[in-house]
Amino acid sequence: MEEPFDIFIGSATYSVFPEEDNTFTIFKEGKEYIHIQKDTEGVWLKLDYETDLPIFDEDPEVNDIGREINLHQAD
């Protein structure tokens, strides 16, 4: 399993904790923030906290976080 890592978007710091099946727990500024899952290369989905099911709403912040995850994993 991949080790946790930090990404930076604007002035925000996100800590990324990889989990199974292309899912990630994201902490923003040190507090648990969201769970996301990779859908396609450019589309990421937020997961519902209670059910862990994907929420199919377009969320630019989630896609920005996902883009940075892709860049980190490409290194």
Side-chain angles (χ1 to χ4, degrees):
M1 185 174 284
E2 190 178 350
E3 293 293 317
F5 56 93
D6 290 338
I7 59 174
F8 306 94
I9 301 173
S11 62
T13 301
Y14 299 88
S15 297
V16 179
F17 287 78
E19 298 182 16
E20 298 175 357
D21 300 325
N22 284 324
T23 61
F24 300 83
T25 298
I26 310 298
F27 288 75
K28 183 176 183 180
E29 304 299 336
K31 296 183 180 176
E32 189 168 346
Y33 184 55
I34 56 174
H35 294 249
I36 64 173
Q37 180 177 34
K38 186 176 190 175
D39 186 34
T40 65
E41 197 64 29
V43 177
W44 290 72
L45 304 172
K46 187 185 315 186
L47 300 177
D48 183 274
Y49 270 106
E50 293 181 16
T51 64
D52 276 339
L53 294 174
I55 300 169
F56 291 98
D57 289 336
E58 183 78 18
D59 188 325
E61 182 183 25
V62 170
N63 284 327
D64 289 345
I65 293 167
R67 183 176 54 252
E68 292 297 318
I69 292 171
N70 284 339
L71 291 171
H72 175 82
Q73 291 177 330
D75 288 344

